[in-house]
Amino acid sequence: MTLEFGDWPVWAGALLIFFARVTDVSLGTLRIAFISRGEKTLAPIIGFFEMLIWLLAIGAIVRDLTNLAYYIAYAGGFATGVFTGLRIEDRIALGSRMIRTITGEDATGLTAALRAHGWGVTAVRAAGASGEVNLIFSVIKRADVPQYMQMVRTHHPEAFSSIEDVRSVEKGVLRPRKPPLGFGGRGSFLLWKR
């Protein structure tokens, strides 16, 4: 199976190559995200379609190595595919994050508010650079980070927070996540698995 443009205008072939690259590079970005999350079933399936589309696009260029429009479409599709793939990955917000918040003030109100929203919170007293501090740990869904951080800023605007990627989580308190529009429900690619 090859892409043969025959009597197509050059712009049509270039457009087809562009969209093929956008699609395969976007799939590649998602595949890498799934690999980093340990999705052993979904990553190879995405990889299969990524390579199939890439082979079709590269085959079209090889058939006409003198056409500069195809090269530009290929490179432009790659760049747009990286951007699109990152936006899609950001939208589906895979994975969990560990948030550490350090504040020198009483954190009782903040921890109560975070727990009221369903997040697991571990709070301990610790020795900081300038005395006693409260150290708050939470592991939350990546999609919840903006809301969580807004609550931290509301209660303790001067608090220090660090956010790290968490590869896997077992047990603990993770509130159920509502999938973004257009995703979810039965057969939703296992995207919402812990």
Side-chain angles (χ1 to χ4, degrees):
M1 179 181 188
T2 59
L3 291 177
E4 302 225 7
F5 301 130
D7 294 332
W8 289 21
V10 169
W11 66 266
L15 201 59
L16 190 58
I17 291 169
F18 175 83
F19 284 114
R21 284 304 282 160
V22 169
T23 304
D24 90 81
V25 174
S26 297
L27 288 173
T29 303
L30 290 175
R31 177 183 50 80
I32 291 167
F34 284 124
I35 288 170
S36 71
R37 302 282 174 256
E39 290 286 349
K40 295 178 180 154
T41 304
L42 198 53
I45 293 169
I46 290 174
F48 172 82
F49 289 104
E50 173 193 1
M51 272 306 107
L52 182 64
I53 295 167
W54 180 83
L55 286 170
L56 292 172
I58 198 70
I61 289 180
V62 169
R63 289 200 172 344
D64 189 357
L65 292 173
T66 61
N67 196 327
L68 182 62
Y70 291 174
Y71 289 109
I72 292 169
Y74 188 86
F78 180 87
T80 305
V82 169
F83 177 79
T84 304
L86 290 172
R87 293 296 303 241
I88 292 169
E89 197 273 337
D90 192 48
R91 177 79 175 126
I92 61 178
L94 298 171
S96 300
R97 297 291 185 262
M98 154 106 49
I99 301 180
R100 285 184 204 90
T101 301
I102 302 171
T103 179
E105 302 171 25
D106 178 35
T108 308
L110 173 60
T111 57
L114 294 171
R115 287 180 180 131
H117 274 81
W119 291 305
V121 176
T122 300
V124 295
R125 296 288 295 159
S130 57
E132 292 269 316
V133 295
N134 290 294
L135 181 55
I136 302 164
F137 292 95
S138 291
V139 175
I140 66 172
K141 298 287 185 182
R142 181 175 153 197
D144 292 335
V145 169
Q147 183 184 7
Y148 185 101
M149 290 308 300
Q150 182 57 46
M151 291 182 72
V152 170
R153 284 189 289 276
T154 299
H155 285 81
H156 297 280
E158 301 300 316
F160 170 81
S161 294
S162 65
I163 303 170
E164 293 180 37
D165 187 41
V166 175
R167 181 172 170 147
S168 65
V169 175
E170 283 188 37
K171 302 184 182 176
V173 178
L174 286 175
R175 72 183 196 172
R177 177 171 165 228
K178 293 179 185 173
L181 293 175
F183 294 96
R186 292 183 167 250
S188 61
F189 298 100
L190 303 173
L191 294 178
W192 317 119
K193 183 175 121 181
R194 277 192 191 179

